[in-house]
Amino acid sequence: MDEGDSYEDNDMPKRPWDTCREVPTIEDEQTPWKIIKVLKIIALSTVAILVFGLALCSKASFLVLITLANEGTKTISADHKPVALLCIGCSLIASSVLLLIKSFWKACYKTSKLPKNTTVALVLFFEFIVSGGAAILTIAAMPHLDIVTNVTILNGVAIVSALLQVIAQCTAKERNRFIIPCIAAFVLLLLGYVLFLVLYITKNPTDTKMAMWVGLAAGGSILVSFNWWESYFRLISKNSSSVFLKSLCKDMTTCQNVLHIISSLLRIAVTAAVLGAYVPLSKMDWKILKSVSSFETRVIVITVGVQLIASALCHWFALAACKMHALRRCFILPLYLASLGVMALFVIPVIVYYQDYRKNPTKDAIANFSSYCGVVVNNRSQSLTGSVFPQLVLDVTHTLCFLDMSKVADIGILTGSSLSWWLGLVLVTIHLWHLNVNRIQRTQDLFMRRLYEGAFIEQSLLLNTRFDIQIKGGKKIRQEETAMIYLCATMWHETYDEMMKILISMFRLDRHRPKTEPKSKDFTFEAHIYFDDAFEHVEGSEESHLNSYAKNLVEVIIEVYGIFTSINEKFFKKNQNIPDQQIIRTSYGGRLVITMPFGNKIIVHFKDKELIRHKKRWSQIMYLYYLLGWKLMSKYYKRLERGEKEQELKAEVQKEKHNTYLLALDGDTDFQPSSVMLLVDRLKMYPRVGAACGRIHPTGSGPTVWFQKFEYAVSHWLQKSAEHVIGCVLCSPGCFSLFRAAALMDDNVMKRYATKSTEASHYIQYDQGEDRWLCTLLLKQGWRVEYNAASDAYTNAPEDFKELYNQRRRWGPSTLANVVDLLGDTNVISKRNKSMSKLFMFYQLFGIISAILAPATICLLVAGSLSFIFDLDSAVALVISVIPPIVFLILCFKLKSDTQITIAGILSIIYAFLMLVVTMSIIGAMIKQQTILTPSSMFVIVMAIIYIFTAIIHPQEFQLVFYGVLYIICIPSAYLLLTIYSMVNMNNVSWGTRESKPAAGAATPVATTRQTTVEKAKNTLQKFFSCIKCKNCNQRSQEEQLNVNQDNHMIPESAQSEPQPQNTIVEDIPEEEQMQMQRVFDNPRQSWVTELQELSQNREMQLLEDSLDEEEEEFFVELQEKYLKPLPDDKKRQQTIASDLKDLRNKVNFAFFMLNALWLVATFTLQLNSSTFSIKIPKIDINLHVTGEDVQIEPIGFMFILGFATSVVVQFLAMIYHRISTMIHYVAFLDTEPRQKLEEKDYRAGHRVETASNTESNSTSQAEVSEPEDSEDEYYASQQSSGEGTMV
């Protein structure tokens, strides 16, 4: 053994014989990385090919239209040339029409500020000359030029951009990297124009018409090159001291929707004017459009259709390539090659046809190319039959006949001008190779104009891309902003394994983003765990001790710490030397400060419910005010008191608020660092995004969990994706969501979230679904809430039928209350929130109506199956199907909740068998009626196709589709029985999950002798915080455990008849306070601090006692007094609230079930009068033949099915769009943040290194993780231009 590998005595483990370990899974084993890597390669290759191919199709089809407009071409007769010119005009204005529609929509539903007159005049001036130049170039000039010139003259539109780049870089007063290429590009482009003029004018100096066309072509292309003035104008004004220029740029940005509407209309008008004037001036007649042959129509329509579709798709895929962080591979290179590809596509067939003709012995001998033109090309007649391609090749050849291609000089000049233009374009866009872009870069930050030019698609995409001034040496002009993320987890009665999951996730993130020797500056983080009701009284002890759950948390922290510090040790295990950590007494209980191996901290806040208000929402309010109010804002007020300028401080505050995020977590959430970073990307790129949630995967086993797996999958696949695309996500779940500090600190959000429940409706909306209510507040303030499907998180789901029903009993009424709240403010929200239009609110209205009518719909479904199976009259079957739900509804009002759930379980089994019969009955009906073209059959088939296809495009989750069978047979239980149960038990506002079970060895709460609150507070504060005076201790002398308080009002009668669940919301059963005149302290551990120190010392970690600074301690005292003071036990008020909750339940239930009854009565009436009111449609068999019979459909049921099917189709289409966006984001993430690869010695699931269990020694290894630098910048909302990113 080497000297450096020697072991000292203190390194040896205490028990070398006990070295075998149980190591949990640390690495991400859920993601199929090999498949994803292959998919990434396929995706990038596909996008590159599509960008190149679509650009080729767009340019080639446009040049075909130009060729067809040439006077000497034969594919279209000379009289019908206006048709080709009209199609050229359509290609020019197509993008303007799309921009007009998009801008008009945004102006109506989002923002519509009016610009200044000077801004309008400037924009209209440039738009006029650009649109006029484009129309003159393409409609008037290019049809008279040869194909080679037409291909390459479009590259000449970069000449003004080259000149403006030189000016912009000179005004930047920096040593610019690309000023020489810009100058060279300008010279080459100018040379191309000179050679072009020389070639055509010297060919026949007396031809004034050709000179005119050449002049129009050169002038038009130069005018078009002003199209991208805005990009350089912004840079020049930014570096200028002119206030006028800066205000002009600001006005252009804020009023861009109105400016786009005006400019689009101008472009359309100018193009129409040029086209309308040119046709009669060229002695052509528009009336000829009526006599175009079918052959010519087919050729024209196909060509212009390909051009329009290819241009739009090329623009979209080019944008996708940039967002995928594949700028070089999938954007620049394909577009560079597109011009060369088009040239080859047109020239090679001409050469091949020419050579074939010369070699054909049956043809007339020709001397040169000019002879070929005279004999073959010009003497042919128009053919309206046969293949179009040979005719097009000869038409293209005709454009080259004007030049003598047999002369080397002509070929040389033509090649020189073409090469000069192409090289000029390459040099003027050479800066794109070094352009830094962020993941999922915003479109407006990638391209300066929303508009693309269909006539020259590749030039417009390259020149429209953002131009950044880059300094020699590669230095960045703007420093990278580092975001701050606070991980905030709430705990209460989590199990050991659940705590292990979230702590491994936190330590994993610590290793991925180390604070010591950071390799990336995109964000830093700090983890906080808020542990509710962490203390219990131990008889004979001076003060309360931590309960068994809190002690488990400390043990898990020590165990996980040891795992992450010994991953990459040597073969023989060393003794764990965990650094000393801190333990602190606080006014709300206690605090444990853990510094993780890579420098980031975990701060555990142990809350004593007798000192501070507990339960989940109040824990959230505690960390909101501590992290955002105290840690973020307090320091700026101190600086303001020291005399710093208010405006500068305000700017700093706004920047920090936008770059500070809170990651809300549950105590059992398992996540990977990549999931956090994917959420951060959304908030960094889009400043109006206030929150973003990931894909939540329920974990566990058993049929109840299987049902939830499919339910969660469908909800995320379709519902959340649709909300993200067409509006906003209405609920960002608290188990894994990232919130922006600026959004939480906005007006009417954090302050209102801290509101105490004072009315019965508050207990439903505020406390039963706090995460949904918080999102409701954000949406009302205009913030956007998003969903990122690539960000995966795993959380435990209820495995027990009773626990699931109690959970959904909370969620159902809360969801209904929040959605109704949003719908009630539709007008205000649609104006304030740019993402929530009235159309989206109508979509939500239909969704909530469908949810309300779900019980009646299930009854109709059951009635239909009974009618088919037993051949019953439909009215009789409907009556039979309604009886069990009515009986269950009545029993729910009379029985205890546990009994209700038992009955629901029995009925669920019966309904499950019935649903199997229903499924078979639908199939049987198809066979019996010999048709699938009935509404019910089509609905079932379409839904099955949608769900299966949806699962296919989620390949990593495809196995969940097999749980769909269980989901289908459980539909009555989920949408009928559960709805009844949740509505009837609406007044029961307990949490209902994580019922408390006394831990082994824990003292029984009823048997304990408890200190009064005043004694505990006085002992704690006087002994350890003598600087703080507790002024309100006497007010707490009568406080005790509450059965019903401001956060949880149970039904009094049910509280007496059955024990209530104990969890983060439900209080323990009240105990009578027992006062002792004398205390005998016979417990050797007199405080929770000493007890915890002994516990940690036994586990090889030292806890050193420390204290808070005076200001922070004072903050917590004031916070507790203002917002988090334990609520008094007001029995009278509790009874009032319980009564109000019953009244609210009765009113809501009356309206709810009355609507269902009306729906059933309406359907029942229609069924009784089916011959009068039904809709009759012809019956079509499987072979699509009309059978002569009619299928009767009830109009109401048909409209409901049609509406629901429309909603599902909308969700399906939105899901496809969202899936593509997710793929783009994920590919970009993989390209910029590759997964950490550990060495072969690392632990993986199912793969162990050689350990001491084999050789009587234990060795684990910690990977020396090397992580590529991520130079991604933070995006700050106040900046209009994009920041630096990573080069791609």
Side-chain angles (χ1 to χ4, degrees):
M1 183 179 295
D2 297 336
E3 184 179 354
D5 294 337
S6 61
Y7 283 77
E8 298 180 2
D9 291 340
N10 57 356
D11 289 335
M12 295 298 295
K14 295 180 180 179
R15 292 177 293 276
W17 51 270
D18 186 18
T19 54
C20 298
R21 300 176 60 189
E22 181 182 359
V23 180
T25 301
I26 295 176
E27 297 306 317
D28 180 12
E29 299 297 336
Q30 300 286 348
T31 307
W33 290 107
K34 291 183 179 179
I35 297 177
I36 287 176
K37 187 176 180 180
V38 173
L39 291 177
K40 172 191 169 183
I41 296 172
I42 294 174
L44 291 176
S45 303
T46 302
V47 171
I49 293 172
L50 285 173
V51 170
F52 173 76
L54 291 169
L56 191 70
C57 290
S58 173
K59 179 59 67 67
S61 56
F62 182 76
L63 290 174
V64 167
L65 292 174
I66 296 290
T67 304
L68 294 177
N70 189 284
E71 293 178 353
T73 55
K74 304 291 185 176
T75 304
I76 294 180
S77 62
D79 294 337
H80 295 160
K81 298 302 179 184
V83 181
L85 295 174
L86 181 63
C87 291
I88 294 172
C90 291
S91 299
L92 291 176
I93 67 171
S95 58
S96 297
V97 173
L98 295 176
L99 180 62
L100 176 65
I101 296 172
K102 184 176 181 180
S103 300
F104 186 78
W105 171 267
K106 288 189 174 183
C108 291
Y109 291 96
K110 295 185 179 181
T111 56
S112 55
K113 295 183 180 179
L114 296 177
K116 299 177 182 177
N117 293 334
T118 53
T119 306
V120 174
L122 180 66
V123 171
L124 291 185
F125 170 74
F126 281 106
E127 295 298 326
F128 176 79
I129 63 174
V130 169
S131 57
I136 292 171
L137 173 66
T138 57
I139 295 173
M142 288 179 65
H144 299 87
L145 305 178
D146 66 277
I147 189 64
V148 176
T149 302
N150 284 338
V151 171
T152 56
I153 194 174
L154 298 179
N155 293 329
V157 299
I159 187 168
V160 172
S161 295
L163 182 61
L164 291 176
Q165 283 185 18
V166 175
I167 297 173
Q169 294 189 82
C170 290
T171 57
K173 301 176 182 178
E174 298 283 354
R175 298 178 59 197
N176 305 306
R177 298 174 62 186
F178 297 112
I179 190 167
I180 294 178
C182 293
I183 296 173
F186 180 77
V187 172
L188 285 171
L189 291 168
L190 194 59
L191 177 62
Y193 281 106
V194 172
L195 293 175
F196 164 63
L197 294 174
V198 169
L199 176 63
Y200 271 88
I201 293 177
T202 59
K203 190 69 178 175
N204 189 1
T206 61
D207 190 350
T208 56
K209 276 193 172 183
M210 180 56 69
M212 181 183 66
W213 301 134
V214 170
L216 288 176
S221 62
I222 292 174
L223 290 179
V224 172
S225 62
F226 282 95
N227 192 37
W228 302 279
W229 65 277
E230 188 177 345
S231 177
Y232 310 101
F233 179 76
R234 291 179 185 275
L235 281 175
I236 294 171
S237 62
K238 181 180 178 181
N239 297 320
S240 173
S241 58
S242 173
V243 178
F244 173 74
L245 293 180
K246 294 182 183 297
S247 63
L248 197 62
C249 287
K250 183 178 180 181
D251 194 42
M252 290 169 58
T253 302
T254 55
C255 307
Q256 59 180 348
N257 286 326
V258 176
L259 289 173
H260 285 152
I261 292 174
I262 299 173
S263 62
S264 298
L265 291 173
L266 179 65
R267 277 175 171 258
I268 295 171
V270 170
T271 304
V274 172
L275 181 61
Y278 175 73
V279 169
L281 288 175
S282 300
K283 298 181 181 180
M284 291 183 283
D285 193 354
W286 285 113
K287 295 180 181 178
I288 203 67
L289 295 176
K290 299 179 181 178
S291 60
V292 180
S293 66
S294 59
F295 172 79
E296 293 175 328
T297 302
R298 186 168 62 254
V299 172
I300 289 291
V301 168
I302 292 175
T303 305
V304 74
V306 170
Q307 205 282 328
L308 296 177
I309 295 173
S311 298
L313 290 178
C314 182
H315 175 261
W316 191 89
F317 278 105
L319 177 62
C322 297
K323 288 179 176 287
M324 291 168 69
H325 222 265
L327 195 67
R328 295 175 179 174
R329 294 163 288 178
C330 302
F331 179 77
I332 303 174
L333 193 58
L335 293 179
Y336 280 168
L337 297 176
S339 293
L340 301 179
V342 172
M343 180 73 74
L345 187 64
F346 281 97
V347 173
I348 291 176
V350 171
I351 297 174
V352 170
Y353 271 59
Y354 171 60
Q355 294 296 333
D356 286 346
Y357 187 88
R358 291 187 63 185
K359 295 178 180 179
N360 193 336
T362 62
K363 304 294 183 181
D364 297 334
I366 56 173
N368 52 29
F369 185 78
S370 298
S371 302
Y372 173 73
C373 289
V375 174
V376 178
V377 178
N378 296 331
N379 289 335
R380 63 193 171 97
S381 59
Q382 184 184 13
S383 175
L384 299 180
T385 59
S387 177
V388 179
F389 184 74
Q391 295 293 327
L392 289 176
V393 172
L394 294 177
D395 283 343
V396 170
T397 307
H398 170 76
T399 64
L400 294 169
C401 290
F402 170 76
L403 302 171
D404 191 354
M405 292 294 101
S406 59
K407 291 184 178 180
V408 177
D410 287 358
I411 296 177
I413 295 176
L414 184 61
T415 305
S417 64
S418 302
L419 190 60
S420 297
W421 276 327
W422 186 78
L423 289 176
L425 177 67
V426 171
L427 289 176
V428 85
T429 56
I430 196 70
H431 66 276
L432 297 181
W433 290 85
H434 301 274
L435 182 67
N436 293 324
V437 296
N438 295 322
R439 291 194 292 264
I440 58 169
Q441 186 83 53
R442 299 196 307 170
T443 305
Q444 66 191 63
D445 296 329
L446 280 170
F447 300 117
M448 295 307 299
R449 299 170 61 88
R450 293 181 189 171
L451 196 65
Y452 67 90
E453 303 295 338
F456 24 89
I457 185 68
E458 70 269 29
Q459 291 86 2
S460 68
L461 289 173
L462 290 169
L463 295 173
N464 193 30
T465 310
R466 186 186 78 224
F467 177 72
D468 285 341
I469 296 176
Q470 302 198 23
I471 305 170
K472 288 186 177 180
K475 296 180 181 178
K476 295 179 182 179
I477 296 176
R478 184 173 59 86
Q479 292 298 321
E480 183 177 319
E481 297 291 342
T482 301
M484 180 64 192
I485 302 178
Y486 292 106
L487 276 62
C488 301
T490 55
M491 284 190 179
W492 187 65
H493 276 182
E494 279 71 18
T495 64
Y496 195 92
D497 291 337
E498 291 170 344
M499 295 176 184
M500 180 74 71
K501 289 180 181 179
I502 190 170
L503 283 167
I504 286 178
S505 299
M506 291 178 176
F507 276 79
R508 189 190 289 129
L509 185 61
D510 171 62
R511 188 180 64 181
H512 191 76
R513 280 292 181 268
K515 191 172 184 179
T516 56
E517 300 181 2
K519 299 176 182 178
S520 179
K521 297 181 180 179
D522 54 350
F523 72 86
T524 183
F525 77 96
E526 185 176 277
H528 291 259
I529 298 175
Y530 290 80
F531 205 111
D532 268 314
D533 192 15
F535 291 88
E536 66 181 2
H537 183 72
V538 176
E539 186 176 1
S541 179
E542 180 181 357
E543 59 181 47
S544 295
H545 290 195
L546 292 179
N547 60 26
S548 59
Y549 295 99
K551 293 175 185 176
N552 280 346
L553 177 61
V554 178
E555 293 179 355
V556 171
I557 290 174
I558 297 172
E559 182 175 348
V560 175
Y561 203 114
I563 292 171
F564 276 82
T565 54
S566 61
I567 288 180
N568 200 26
E569 293 291 344
K570 301 168 186 175
F571 180 79
F572 290 100
K573 176 187 172 184
K574 285 187 177 183
N575 187 30
Q576 292 183 8
N577 294 317
I578 300 177
D580 296 341
Q581 310 294 343
Q582 291 180 314
I583 187 170
I584 303 172
R585 297 177 186 268
T586 63
S587 59
Y588 56 80
R591 179 185 296 184
L592 187 63
V593 181
I594 304 294
T595 302
M596 290 182 281
F598 292 91
N600 297 289
K601 290 185 177 181
I602 295 179
I603 302 173
V604 183
H605 304 264
F606 294 115
K607 296 172 58 181
D608 189 337
K609 64 183 179 184
E610 294 186 2
L611 300 176
I612 191 169
R613 199 177 303 172
H614 69 297
K615 297 185 288 285
K616 186 173 183 178
R617 182 160 74 94
W618 299 110
S619 291
Q620 292 176 333
I621 292 167
M622 179 180 175
Y623 67 65
L624 287 176
Y625 276 93
Y626 173 54
L627 300 175
L628 304 183
W630 167 254
K631 298 192 73 171
L632 194 152
M633 288 299 300
S634 296
K635 59 179 178 287
Y636 290 103
Y637 279 97
K638 293 178 183 178
R639 292 171 59 183
L640 184 63
E641 291 177 358
R642 292 196 296 265
E644 296 189 31
K645 294 182 180 180
E646 183 176 352
Q647 291 299 325
E648 294 179 358
L649 290 177
K650 182 179 178 181
E652 289 186 38
V653 170
Q654 293 297 332
K655 180 183 291 187
E656 184 171 358
K657 285 164 66 175
H658 272 273
N659 287 322
T660 301
Y661 310 126
L662 267 67
L663 181 64
L665 300 167
D666 277 352
D668 59 355
T669 304
D670 182 15
F671 61 91
Q672 295 291 329
S674 59
S675 299
V676 179
M677 299 177 68
L678 289 166
L679 292 183
V680 171
D681 283 346
R682 303 300 307 182
L683 273 69
K684 285 168 60 179
M685 281 291 95
Y686 303 95
R688 289 306 301 172
V689 176
C693 63
R695 167 69 166 96
I696 309 302
H697 300 264
T699 59
S701 59
T704 303
V705 177
W706 299 341
F707 169 84
Q708 294 174 83
K709 283 179 179 288
F710 187 79
E711 181 193 33
Y712 272 65
V714 171
S715 174
H716 285 83
W717 291 349
L718 296 174
Q719 183 178 343
K720 267 190 165 50
S721 297
E723 289 178 347
H724 172 95
V725 172
I726 66 178
C728 277
V729 175
L730 299 190
C731 180
S732 188
C735 59
F736 188 72
S737 293
L738 192 68
F739 294 88
R740 189 189 301 274
L744 295 171
M745 300 175 73
D746 200 359
D747 296 338
N748 302 320
V749 179
M750 199 164 85
K751 183 72 173 178
R752 183 166 293 179
Y753 191 62
T755 303
K756 292 188 295 186
S757 302
T758 56
E759 301 176 7
S761 60
H762 293 173
Y763 295 94
I764 305 297
Q765 183 177 2
Y766 296 1
D767 298 327
Q768 297 298 281
E770 70 290 331
D771 47 3
R772 183 173 284 273
W773 183 45
L774 181 58
C775 290
T776 298
L777 297 176
L778 293 174
L779 295 173
K780 285 187 173 183
Q781 284 302 114
W783 292 96
R784 177 170 170 78
V785 181
E786 292 192 343
Y787 163 59
N788 191 319
S791 179
D792 296 302
Y794 301 83
T795 185
N796 281 14
E799 297 184 358
D800 182 66
F801 184 80
K802 173 184 175 182
E803 195 175 8
L804 175 63
Y805 258 54
N806 281 326
Q807 181 193 68
R808 302 308 169 88
R809 183 253 302 154
R810 288 190 292 109
W811 288 2
S814 172
T815 300
L816 180 64
N818 280 280
V819 174
V820 169
D821 187 10
L822 288 172
L823 292 173
D825 292 335
T826 295
N827 291 330
V828 176
I829 293 175
S830 60
K831 291 179 181 179
R832 183 176 294 176
N833 196 317
K834 298 179 182 180
S835 299
M836 300 182 68
S837 64
K838 290 184 179 180
L839 194 61
F840 174 70
M841 300 304 287
F842 177 78
Y843 165 81
Q844 292 297 333
L845 176 63
F846 181 81
I848 201 68
I849 291 175
S850 301
I852 291 173
L853 297 179
T857 306
I858 298 301
C859 290
L860 292 173
L861 179 65
V862 173
S865 63
L866 292 176
S867 176
F868 177 82
I869 297 168
F870 300 105
D871 198 19
L872 298 174
D873 183 73
S874 57
V876 176
L878 181 59
V879 172
I880 296 174
S881 67
V882 169
I883 293 176
I886 293 178
V887 173
F888 180 66
L889 176 64
I890 296 172
L891 292 176
C892 285
F893 277 98
K894 299 296 183 180
L895 302 176
K896 297 184 295 184
S897 61
D898 282 353
T899 308
Q900 297 172 34
I901 293 175
T902 302
I903 296 174
I906 297 172
L907 290 176
S908 296
I909 296 174
I910 297 173
Y911 273 118
F913 284 102
L914 183 60
M915 282 303 296
L916 283 176
V917 178
V918 169
T919 305
M920 299 304 297
S921 67
I922 294 175
I923 299 174
M926 296 180 194
I927 298 174
K928 180 179 179 181
Q929 299 176 4
Q930 288 295 305
T931 182
I932 61 172
L933 300 180
T934 61
S936 59
S937 301
M938 289 298 297
F939 177 75
V940 171
I941 292 173
V942 171
M943 291 295 295
I945 293 173
I946 286 177
Y947 283 140
I948 292 174
F949 182 79
T950 302
I952 290 174
I953 63 176
H954 293 78
Q956 74 279 14
E957 302 177 49
F958 181 79
Q959 70 278 4
L960 298 180
V961 77
F962 297 106
Y963 297 137
V965 178
L966 177 63
Y967 180 83
I968 290 172
I969 66 175
C970 291
I971 284 177
S973 178
Y975 294 98
L976 176 62
L977 302 177
L978 180 56
T979 302
I980 295 173
Y981 173 78
S982 62
M983 296 304 296
V984 174
N985 291 275
M986 181 186 294
N987 59 321
N988 183 352
V989 291
S990 65
W991 203 248
T993 54
R994 291 197 184 279
E995 295 189 358
S996 177
K997 296 179 181 179
T1004 306
V1006 178
T1008 60
T1009 303
R1010 184 186 299 273
Q1011 280 184 290
T1012 62
T1013 305
V1014 65
E1015 287 175 340
K1016 180 178 291 186
K1018 188 177 294 184
N1019 287 341
T1020 303
L1021 295 176
Q1022 287 182 354
K1023 185 174 182 179
F1024 301 101
F1025 305 105
S1026 58
C1027 59
I1028 304 298
K1029 294 183 179 179
C1030 184
K1031 299 180 180 179
N1032 301 311
C1033 290
N1034 292 331
Q1035 298 178 6
R1036 304 188 202 171
S1037 59
Q1038 301 300 321
E1039 290 179 8
E1040 59 185 20
Q1041 275 306 98
L1042 305 179
N1043 179 41
V1044 183
N1045 59 19
Q1046 295 289 348
D1047 301 293
N1048 175 34
H1049 287 265
M1050 295 294 298
I1051 307 173
E1053 59 264 30
S1054 65
Q1056 297 178 11
S1057 60
E1058 57 181 345
Q1060 296 306 321
Q1062 300 177 3
N1063 42 57
T1064 49
I1065 292 296
V1066 181
E1067 300 282 1
D1068 295 332
I1069 299 175
E1071 304 169 3
E1072 294 186 2
E1073 202 170 319
Q1074 301 180 11
M1075 303 294 296
Q1076 290 185 338
M1077 300 302 298
Q1078 292 183 348
R1079 292 185 182 275
V1080 179
F1081 302 114
D1082 54 0
N1083 194 316
R1085 295 189 296 268
Q1086 298 298 327
S1087 70
W1088 66 273
V1089 173
T1090 56
E1091 181 186 26
L1092 206 58
Q1093 286 175 332
E1094 292 180 10
L1095 174 65
S1096 61
Q1097 189 173 6
N1098 293 335
R1099 300 294 298 273
E1100 302 173 346
M1101 183 175 77
Q1102 295 289 335
L1103 293 179
L1104 304 180
E1105 187 172 358
D1106 201 350
S1107 62
L1108 296 179
D1109 60 74
E1110 182 177 345
E1111 292 182 352
E1112 187 172 348
E1113 181 60 33
E1114 184 179 356
F1115 156 75
F1116 275 111
V1117 172
E1118 293 175 355
L1119 178 66
Q1120 290 169 241
E1121 184 64 29
K1122 184 172 178 60
Y1123 293 109
L1124 301 177
K1125 182 179 179 180
L1127 298 168
D1129 184 12
D1130 189 345
K1131 297 294 185 182
K1132 182 177 180 181
R1133 188 175 181 283
Q1134 294 169 13
Q1135 294 175 358
T1136 302
I1137 292 298
S1139 177
D1140 292 344
L1141 281 168
K1142 281 187 178 181
D1143 292 340
L1144 177 65
R1145 177 200 64 180
N1146 295 336
K1147 293 177 182 177
V1148 172
N1149 275 262
F1150 176 79
F1152 186 91
F1153 292 109
M1154 182 58 67
L1155 288 174
N1156 280 271
L1158 291 173
W1159 177 257
L1160 288 172
V1161 169
T1163 306
F1164 182 75
T1165 304
L1166 290 174
Q1167 288 180 345
L1168 290 178
N1169 301 277
S1170 58
S1171 60
T1172 305
F1173 294 104
S1174 62
I1175 301 174
K1176 296 181 180 180
I1177 60 175
K1179 183 179 178 181
I1180 302 175
D1181 60 17
I1182 298 178
N1183 298 320
L1184 301 181
H1185 296 151
V1186 179
T1187 61
E1189 301 177 3
D1190 293 331
V1191 177
Q1192 294 184 349
I1193 304 172
E1194 300 164 6
I1196 296 181
F1198 175 73
M1199 293 303 297
F1200 186 80
I1201 291 177
L1202 181 63
F1204 184 75
T1206 303
S1207 175
V1208 172
V1209 171
V1210 170
Q1211 291 179 354
F1212 178 72
L1213 296 176
M1215 180 271 300
I1216 294 177
Y1217 179 84
H1218 186 265
R1219 198 64 187 156
I1220 295 173
S1221 301
T1222 302
M1223 182 200 70
I1224 291 172
H1225 187 186
Y1226 202 61
V1227 170
F1229 175 79
L1230 292 174
D1231 203 44
T1232 57
E1233 191 74 23
R1235 186 171 71 107
Q1236 292 181 333
K1237 294 183 178 180
L1238 302 181
E1239 299 176 4
E1240 294 181 358
K1241 297 183 293 181
D1242 299 338
Y1243 277 107
R1244 297 177 186 270
H1247 297 82
R1248 289 286 186 89
V1249 298
E1250 187 179 5
T1251 62
S1253 59
N1254 303 103
T1255 57
E1256 301 177 342
S1257 166
N1258 185 28
S1259 173
T1260 56
S1261 59
Q1262 177 179 359
E1264 296 294 336
V1265 182
S1266 60
E1267 187 176 292
E1269 182 176 357
D1270 181 9
S1271 56
E1272 176 182 76
D1273 284 353
E1274 297 297 321
Y1275 179 85
Y1276 180 48
S1278 64
Q1279 293 177 322
Q1280 298 299 329
S1281 62
S1282 170
E1284 301 291 335
T1286 52
M1287 289 190 298
V1288 290

